[in-house]
C-alpha cells in the first residue's frame, strides 16, 4: 500500500496531505517506526537472553532498569510514527486483514508484558518466565510480519 495511492481515504486530510505532498515524510515515518521496533526488540532480546541463562553475571533487575526506558522510547517512537501513518489512511488500514491481525498481536504482546511484570517474572525466572519471553518474541515477530504484509494486502 502506497501513501499516495488513489485508494487512500481522506479521513484526516491535513495529515494525509502532509504525508503525500512530501517526498520524504512517509519514508521518514517508516524509518522512525522501524527504529522504534528495533529498540523494543533489542531490549526484549537482551532481557530474554538473561532469563534464559546467557550473561549470568548481569543482575536482572539492573539490566531491566537500563532496558525499560529504552524499550518505552522505542515503543513511543513506533506508536507515534505508526499513528501518523494510520491517520492518513485509516479506512484502508481498518479494511486490511494484516493490519487487524497486527493490532491483535500487538495487544496480546502488551497483555503478556503486563502479566509478566505484574507477577514479577523478571526476578523469579523459571519455566513460566521462559514461556512468556518466548511468547513475547513470537508475538513481536508476528507484529513485524503483519506490518510488512500490510503493503501487499
Amino acid at each position: 500500500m502506497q501513501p499516495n495511492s488513489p485508494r487512500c481515504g481522506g479521513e484526516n486530510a491535513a495529515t494525509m496531505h502532509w504525508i503525500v505532498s512530501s517526498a520524504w515524510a512517509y519514508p521518514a515515518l517508516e524509518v522512525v517506526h522501524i527504529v522504534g521496533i528495533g529498540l523494543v526488540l533489542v531490549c526484549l532480546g537482551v532481557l530474554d537472553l538473561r532469563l534464559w541463562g546467557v550473561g549470568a553475571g548481569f543482575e536482572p533487575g539492573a539490566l531491566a532498569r537500563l532496558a525499560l526506558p529504552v524499550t518505552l522510547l522505542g515503543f513511543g517512537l513506533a506508536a507515534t510514527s505508526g499513528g501518523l501513518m494510520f491517520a492518513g489512511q485509516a479506512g484502508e488500514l481498518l479494511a486490511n486483514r494484516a493490519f487487524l491481525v497486527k493490532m491483535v498481536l500487538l495487544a496480546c504482546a502488551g497483555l503478556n508484558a503486563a502479566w509478566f511484570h505484574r507477577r514479577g517474572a523478571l526476578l523469579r525466572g523459571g519455566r513460566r518466565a521462559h514461556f512468556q519471553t518466548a511468547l513475547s518474541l513470537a508475538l513481536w515477530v508476528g507484529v513485524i510480519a503483519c506490518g510488512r504484509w500490510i503493503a501487499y494486502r
Side-chain angles (χ1 to χ4, degrees):
M1 169 178 7
Q2 295 298 318
N4 57 357
S5 164
R7 297 184 315 166
C8 290
E11 295 86 20
N12 187 330
T15 301
M16 188 60 174
H17 178 72
W18 172 70
I19 291 171
V20 299
S21 67
S22 172
W24 58 267
Y26 199 86
L29 286 172
E30 287 181 324
V31 168
V32 171
H33 199 67
I34 291 167
V35 167
I37 292 167
L39 289 172
V40 169
L41 285 179
V42 165
C43 290
L44 291 178
V46 166
L47 287 173
D48 292 354
L49 287 171
R50 173 57 190 93
L51 282 173
W52 295 339
V54 177
F58 295 100
E59 195 269 314
L63 198 54
R65 285 188 298 279
L66 175 65
L68 184 60
V70 178
T71 304
L72 293 175
L73 171 67
F75 185 79
L77 289 172
T80 301
S81 57
L84 287 170
M85 290 187 289
F86 174 80
Q89 46 196 327
E92 185 174 345
L93 287 170
L94 289 172
N96 185 308
R97 229 180 255 149
F99 176 78
L100 297 176
V101 172
K102 176 182 177 177
M103 293 298 104
V104 168
L105 292 173
L106 189 57
C108 289
L111 290 171
N112 183 55
W115 178 35
F116 181 85
H117 289 289
R118 181 167 177 91
R119 61 181 210 82
L122 184 65
L123 299 178
R124 277 197 220 171
R127 284 184 167 187
R128 189 178 289 174
H130 291 169
F131 170 77
Q132 282 188 274
T133 56
L135 176 62
S136 174
L137 289 177
L139 288 168
W140 278 102
V141 168
V143 167
I144 292 167
C146 287
R148 288 303 309 137
W149 200 262
I150 290 169
Y152 302 101
R153 300 294 296 164

